[in-house]
Amino acid sequence: MNPSPLLDLPSAEPPPDFWRDKASYDAVLRQGLVEPLETAMVQHGAVPKPLQAAALNRLAWYFAVDLRERAPTVIVDPPLAEVFHALVGRAMRCIDIAQLEG
């Protein structure tokens, strides 16, 4: 078993039902991505590279799906968008681009 549930997530796009669930933009994102990153940061002083890569892969799907003409992300209203963007910001503070490029 991986030290983080984030590493257990498939790298493929989540199914359509995932995007239609408002929890995917709040609780699922917080518990499944942000909290594992922040926990790793506290425990190790930096997030391990594989965990950072897995997080970026998962985050990329949110934006790729949102660009579609009939994006299921249309369910995200302004208050939920604020929560989502705050969570993305928290996640990105745990990502070290220089480490990933190196």
Side-chain angles (χ1 to χ4, degrees):
M1 184 171 155
N2 282 316
S4 170
L6 182 55
L7 293 173
D8 291 329
L9 293 174
S11 60
E13 178 182 350
D17 288 348
F18 177 86
W19 304 113
R20 293 184 190 111
D21 183 353
K22 287 189 173 193
S24 298
Y25 306 91
D26 186 355
V28 171
L29 183 62
R30 184 179 341 96
Q31 295 165 0
L33 195 142
V34 175
E35 289 174 0
L37 288 171
E38 291 176 341
T39 297
M41 182 78 89
V42 169
Q43 290 177 344
H44 306 289
V47 178
K49 194 173 180 176
L51 191 57
Q52 290 184 56
L56 288 175
N57 178 276
R58 178 55 79 174
L59 283 174
W61 280 115
Y62 280 91
F63 298 101
V65 168
D66 190 51
L67 288 173
R68 294 183 183 151
E69 186 174 331
R70 293 184 179 191
T73 56
V74 71
I75 66 157
V76 178
D77 57 20
L80 185 55
E82 282 186 42
V83 170
F84 171 75
H85 289 126
L87 290 170
V88 170
R90 284 174 56 189
M92 292 307 296
R93 283 189 284 282
C94 297
I95 304 297
D96 182 345
I97 300 300
Q99 181 187 23
L100 290 171
E101 291 177 337

